[in-house]
Amino acid sequence: EVQLLESGGGLVQPGGSLRLSCAASGFTFSSYAMIWVRQAPGKGLEWVSSISGSGGITYYADSVRGRFAISRANAKNTLYMQMNSLRAEDTALYYCARITVATFDPWGLGTLVTVSS
Amino acid sequence: QSALTQPRSVSGSPGQSVTISCTGTSSDVGGYNSVSWYQQHPGKAPKVRIYDVSKRPSGVPDRFSGSKSGNTASLTISGLQAEDEADYYCCSYGGTYWVFGGGTKLTVL
């Protein structure tokens, strides 16, 4: 069974940093591009970043470019998101998902990031 | 990277059909046949219902269908059922980015 499990969320002060992880299982991780999507409380979905299977190609939303860094460790079947200079507006549930045939499937359950003093 | 435009809400009675629109630009919806639709129930992760404009993943009922004309994509749900009540999001590839719609709340009356 294909599964994704996010971790690393928590409460952080504005300006602080967090590193999210997404552990993948049930598929050949290195063969798939991956994505991070976030959802602020009561709001819609927002694409954050995506990375190719090899890790050599990355893309970012304008809202996080220069502050967030996506990476992956294919030997560990794990996707990461290093988040720096966090702002209140980064507060959200962060999902990871596998990109397959130009769609996102499956999704993890998400990890909650709260940026507050 | 501006969000795609969806109606905030739609509604229909059991057995009826509803259509949700999703308007983007020539750089995303109009430029690629990579529009997908996601269903999200409260407190749950999104699930794909349609990909590549009109393709259904295995296991998705054929009551769900998708189409596109120019910069606007549409999701049609026919034979509405109570379990279809959820939030629906469209998403399009834009070459170097992905962009979601603002979401549409479907109410089954």
Side-chain angles (χ1 to χ4, degrees):
Chain A
E1 181 187 4
V2 175
Q3 285 191 325
L4 299 170
L5 182 62
E6 303 92 338
S7 62
L11 175 63
V12 61
Q13 292 187 340
S17 298
L18 274 179
R19 188 176 83 154
L20 306 184
S21 299
C22 169
S25 60
F27 64 102
T28 304
F29 183 65
S30 61
S31 295
Y32 292 87
M34 299 291 293
I35 192 169
W36 286 100
V37 175
R38 67 185 180 184
Q39 187 169 34
K43 302 297 184 182
L45 302 173
E46 179 188 13
W47 168 71
V48 175
S49 182
S50 53
I51 187 169
S52 62
S54 66
I57 300 173
T58 58
Y59 297 115
Y60 297 94
D62 290 343
S63 57
V64 306
R65 186 177 294 112
R67 300 187 298 122
F68 290 13
I70 191 171
S71 63
R72 62 192 298 159
N74 286 342
K76 295 183 179 180
N77 291 340
T78 303
L79 173 72
Y80 302 103
M81 176 63 78
Q82 178 66 43
M83 305 188 297
N84 299 327
S85 302
L86 283 162
R87 306 167 180 168
E89 54 264 37
D90 295 319
T91 294
L93 186 64
Y94 284 73
Y95 293 101
C96 66
R98 182 181 69 172
I99 301 177
T100 176
V101 199
T103 192
F104 314 141
D105 181 56
W107 297 56
L109 297 179
T111 186
L112 182 63
V113 172
T114 302
V115 184
S116 175
S117 55
Chain B
Q1 298 184 9
S2 298
L4 307 177
T5 300
Q6 297 181 231
R8 292 289 296 269
S9 64
V10 297
S11 63
S13 299
Q16 290 186 332
S17 294
V18 295
T19 296
I20 301 171
S21 62
C22 169
T23 301
T25 69
S26 58
S27 295
D28 36 64
V29 175
Y32 299 89
N33 286 323
S34 298
V35 176
S36 50
W37 290 90
Y38 300 88
Q39 176 192 61
Q40 186 180 37
H41 288 107
K44 301 294 186 181
K47 291 184 178 180
V48 59
R49 299 290 95 177
I50 294 287
Y51 69 97
D52 285 356
V53 175
S54 60
K55 298 177 181 177
R56 275 189 314 277
S58 174
V60 174
D62 60 5
R63 303 185 294 104
F64 290 84
S65 62
S67 63
K68 189 185 84 167
S69 178
N71 296 338
T72 298
S74 298
L75 171 71
T76 298
I77 308 171
S78 58
L80 272 178
Q81 300 182 3
E83 60 261 33
D84 297 332
E85 184 163 296
D87 293 325
Y88 290 84
Y89 296 90
C90 61
C91 180
S92 177
Y93 180 63
T96 59
Y97 63 91
W98 297 87
V99 59
F100 284 93
T104 298
K105 181 176 180 57
L106 168 61
T107 300
V108 180
L109 303 170

